[in-house]
Amino acid sequence: MSIRRKPKPRKRKLGTTIGIGNHKGGVGKSTTAVNLGTGLAERGHRVLIIDLDPTAGASALLGYDDEDRPGSLELLTEPRQDYADVIITDDLPENVHFISATTELADLDRHLKKSRYVDPFGLLKEPLQWARKRYDYVIIDTAPRPGSSLLACAYGALEWFLLSAHAEPLALRGISETLHDLADVRRAINRKLEVLGVVIGRVKRNSKYWIKIADHVEQTLPGRCFTTKLSETVEVQKLSDLGLTVFEHPPLRRAKIVKEFRDLAREVEGRTKNRDQFLARCGRLQDRQRAQLRKAANK
């Protein structure tokens, strides 16, 4: 008589980590991080959003400004076995959890000087490994601080980086500088880091400047510009004062921008779920592109 063995339980697939940013500030990265995360949560995914910017834009959008609460600074500077004590779970969109930031995060380097042997590129590795076992997506709103420890810790641990850019003349330089740094990090520090794409925001009805940006991205990194473009919407600029996402603000519930963030979430889900196919189609961020990116950044 044969003994039937119980099937082994399937291991939960590790979640996906995505950093959102740009070397140029004021490009809607916090708005993109919060609303993309909420859009993914709306699609049934468990999402953790981490605010890693001392300006705390994502924290404001989610309605948190408690300077005394442990958050991303403690995440980076206080070793722990469990990170649940820094995660906010209440009064948030369904399936969304959050780690807030404060202005003290700007003093990260001062905190790190307490130890001579801390590698900034490794600070987020353990926390993200812990989070990936519990969430489908970890979205990080990064600081626009090239060369800083804040950006280094994100670059050293992430799988994907999504660039947020506005449809304006200065956008091209910010995109090129960021892509150049990502190529350097990938070559020297984190071979898993790839560019998820560039999302163009604040697109005006009467302007076609976004086409120039999309063409630049297509020439530099073919296939990386998201099909979804985010429209300029006055109400969106008020959300940080209200502590709401576009999905929660009543005047926006039927607005075009809500559909656009849902479309962006769908595109991000498609690319991250099919990483190998996406990279095979578009190509990886290669060393040969660094010279081209440096030239573009210096224009």
Side-chain angles (χ1 to χ4, degrees), residues 181-194 275 284-287:
D181 266 17
L182 289 169
D184 278 350
V185 170
R186 175 173 158 72
R187 177 179 58 86
I189 305 292
N190 181 3
R191 295 296 296 178
K192 293 183 178 180
L193 181 63
E194 287 288 353
R275 178 183 173 99
R284 296 178 182 273
L285 188 57
Q286 301 291 347
D287 294 344

Side-chain angles (χ1 to χ4, degrees), residues 16 18 20 29-41 46-52 57-62 64 71-72 75 86-89 92-101 128 131 135-142 245 247:
T16 299
I18 304 171
I20 297 179
K29 64 178 184 58
S30 298
T31 301
T32 299
V34 167
N35 290 292
L36 170 61
T38 306
L40 288 166
R46 285 176 51 82
V47 176
L48 175 65
I49 300 173
I50 303 176
D51 193 346
L52 212 61
S59 300
L61 285 165
L62 288 169
Y64 286 90
S72 50
L75 181 79
V86 299
I87 296 177
I88 298 168
T89 60
L92 291 166
E94 187 177 359
N95 288 332
V96 174
H97 289 174
F98 179 57
I99 299 177
S100 62
L128 288 191
Y135 296 93
D136 301 309
Y137 285 94
V138 182
I139 308 290
I140 299 180
D141 182 19
T142 66
T245 69
F247 300 91

Side-chain angles (χ1 to χ4, degrees), residues 19 24 27 39 82 202 259:
K24 182 184 180 301
V27 294
D82 191 300
R202 203 170 284 184
K259 179 181 183 302

Side-chain angles (χ1 to χ4, degrees), residues 228-269:
T228 302
K229 309 295 183 293
L230 304 176
S231 304
E232 183 176 50
T233 308
V234 175
E235 286 293 329
V236 170
Q237 299 172 39
K238 303 176 183 178
L239 294 180
S240 59
D241 294 329
L242 301 172
L244 296 172
T245 69
V246 298
F247 300 91
E248 299 169 296
H249 190 36
L252 290 175
R253 283 180 181 163
R254 296 182 181 274
K256 184 179 179 182
I257 190 69
V258 175
K259 179 181 183 302
E260 289 167 348
F261 272 114
R262 285 184 175 130
D263 291 342
L264 179 62
R266 189 179 299 110
E267 282 196 77
V268 166
E269 182 186 63

